[in-house]
Amino acid sequence: MGVCLYFSGMNSDMPLVLAGDIGGTNSRFALFPAHGCGRNAPPAALVSLPTGAFPSFEALLCELSRRLGASVSRAQAAAVAVAGPVERGRFCRPPNIDFTLDLDALPDGLLPRRAQLLNDFTAQALGCREEAEADLVTVLPGPFDAGQTQAVIGAGTGLGKGVLLPDGRGGCLVLPSEGGHAAFPFVGRDEADFEAFVLARTREPYARWETVVSGSGLALTHAFLTGQDLDPSQVSATVGENDPTAAWFARFYGRACRDWALETLPLGGLFVCAGVAAKNLWSVRHRAFADEFTRSHTHEQLLKTMGVRLVRNELAGLRGAAGRAVSLAAREEGVA
């Protein structure tokens, strides 16, 4: 159950930090060198576990400890990202996971003493900021400037959002969001029919952004248009850029990015990340994405000049969490 991958270079004397990313489908953990978890640094060890296979956060961490042994307890600090609203860095009740995360309820030794929870898109935002411009895929041309507000959005099991605000000292303040659970704005008669289809399938009181713009949303879109009930990975393997499913889903993704851009005004650029776009490049490169992103009665010109970049590095969120763990260790040691 799960995958454990070790990289060369880890030894018993190496100072480490533990980073985690608890998603609705998979939970990933990595040990990073405490003094080298920045841009392009490989993890010393990487573990991926199916989130739904565990009845509790404690059980998940017990399996992690079994995989990594004493390396977990000797890590200097840990930062665990989770897809949900985090309270005081200690507690989270995720909407798409069957258990709560409570650091104060854990037995000693499952995590380092210095441990913190953070929203998954706080970690994604921090990780995206570490990506070099040369490593990003240009979705829409436009300036990218970390000295101005930047926004982050990404579809995976759900839809996550975040904002990066410059702090005036070369760093940034990250604002997470649960906007993926707001109501999706359907437009036109065809989309009204799709809305009725989604509500009948999901039994939700209203269709949320992440109901439509996510892996499961891709599957719903394909089922509505073709009558084929496939899981998201099967749709990814089946759909090409010229299929109606691609055009519809790219339009929905473009709408999600446009509305988030209008809500946050990221003049420094918009990052698109997470698994759906990384695995289905057409979802952001299709003409329907750009057409919908720039469709605005009032701000078309603004949107046409806004930079949009795709982050394909699937370790970005873990690397962002690792950076937070390094900061946590340094702060508790009194290091500036």
Side-chain angles (χ1 to χ4, degrees), residues 77-153:
V80 179
V82 57
V86 174
E87 300 176 20
R88 307 179 310 281
R90 308 295 296 174
F91 179 86
C92 180
R93 184 175 287 107
N96 296 325
I97 299 173
D98 290 335
F99 52 77
T100 60
L101 289 78
D102 186 348
L103 295 186
D104 296 324
L106 292 175
D108 292 341
L110 282 183
L111 286 177
R113 182 179 61 82
R114 302 163 183 160
Q116 185 181 90
L117 299 178
L118 66 160
N119 177 266
D120 63 332
F121 263 73
T122 297
Q124 281 285 355
L126 292 170
C128 287
R129 199 170 191 266
E130 289 296 318
E131 292 292 306
E133 175 77 9
D135 296 330
L136 303 174
V137 177
T138 298
V139 177
L140 295 174
F144 240 62
D145 180 4
Q148 298 192 74
T149 298
Q150 295 181 312
V152 183
I153 188 170

Side-chain angles (χ1 to χ4, degrees), residues 23-323:
T25 302
N26 294 305
S27 293
R28 297 184 303 161
F29 298 89
L31 289 167
F32 284 92
H35 304 299
C37 63
R39 184 176 296 165
N40 298 324
L46 178 65
V47 174
S48 179
L49 299 167
T51 306
F54 298 92
S56 67
F57 186 40
E58 180 178 337
L60 177 65
L61 293 178
C62 284
E63 178 62 19
L64 175 67
S65 293
R66 190 183 72 80
R67 299 294 183 96
L68 294 181
S71 298
V72 174
S73 60
R74 74 178 180 85
Q76 294 184 344
V80 179
V82 57
V86 174
E87 300 176 20
R88 307 179 310 281
R90 308 295 296 174
F91 179 86
C92 180
R93 184 175 287 107
N96 296 325
I97 299 173
D98 290 335
F99 52 77
T100 60
L101 289 78
D102 186 348
L103 295 186
D104 296 324
L106 292 175
D108 292 341
L110 282 183
L111 286 177
R113 182 179 61 82
R114 302 163 183 160
Q116 185 181 90
L117 299 178
L118 66 160
N119 177 266
D120 63 332
F121 263 73
T122 297
Q124 281 285 355
L126 292 170
C128 287
R129 199 170 191 266
E130 289 296 318
E131 292 292 306
E133 175 77 9
D135 296 330
L136 303 174
V137 177
T138 298
V139 177
L140 295 174
F144 240 62
D145 180 4
Q148 298 192 74
T149 298
Q150 295 181 312
V152 183
I153 188 170
T157 302
L159 180 71
K161 302 178 180 182
V163 184
L164 289 155
L165 299 175
D167 63 8
R169 302 187 301 273
C172 65
L173 174 67
V174 182
L175 304 180
S177 169
E178 287 296 305
H181 297 276
F184 184 88
F186 294 95
V187 178
R189 180 171 296 177
D190 288 345
E191 290 190 15
D193 291 341
F194 178 54
E195 178 183 16
F197 174 83
V198 168
L199 293 177
R201 283 292 186 98
T202 64
R203 305 290 185 180
E204 294 182 355
Y206 61 87
R208 297 166 295 139
W209 277 104
E210 71 169 38
T211 310
V212 178
V213 186
S214 62
S216 59
L218 175 61
L220 282 169
T221 303
H222 189 69
F224 172 72
L225 294 172
T226 68
Q228 298 177 325
D229 285 311
L230 304 177
D231 66 37
S233 62
Q234 290 174 317
V235 177
S236 294
T238 301
V239 169
E241 188 169 340
N242 295 323
D243 290 308
T245 298
W248 274 60
F249 189 80
R251 182 171 78 243
F252 293 150
Y253 213 154
R255 188 175 303 167
C257 292
R258 179 199 64 204
D259 285 7
W260 188 231
L262 290 173
E263 288 165 356
T264 59
L265 203 60
L267 298 182
L270 175 70
F271 292 102
V272 180
C273 57
V276 170
K279 293 179 175 66
N280 303 278
L281 193 56
W282 51 259
S283 66
V284 292
R285 300 295 289 272
H286 195 288
R287 180 176 177 177
F289 178 95
D291 286 348
E292 190 68 17
F293 183 82
T294 57
R295 192 187 308 277
S296 171
H297 178 65
T298 53
H299 287 300
E300 180 180 356
Q301 291 306 310
L302 170 68
L303 293 164
K304 283 184 174 180
T305 61
M306 192 171 289
V308 180
R309 305 288 191 272
L310 172 63
V311 180
R312 301 192 76 178
N313 183 355
E314 294 193 26
L315 291 180
L318 277 173
R319 189 166 283 114

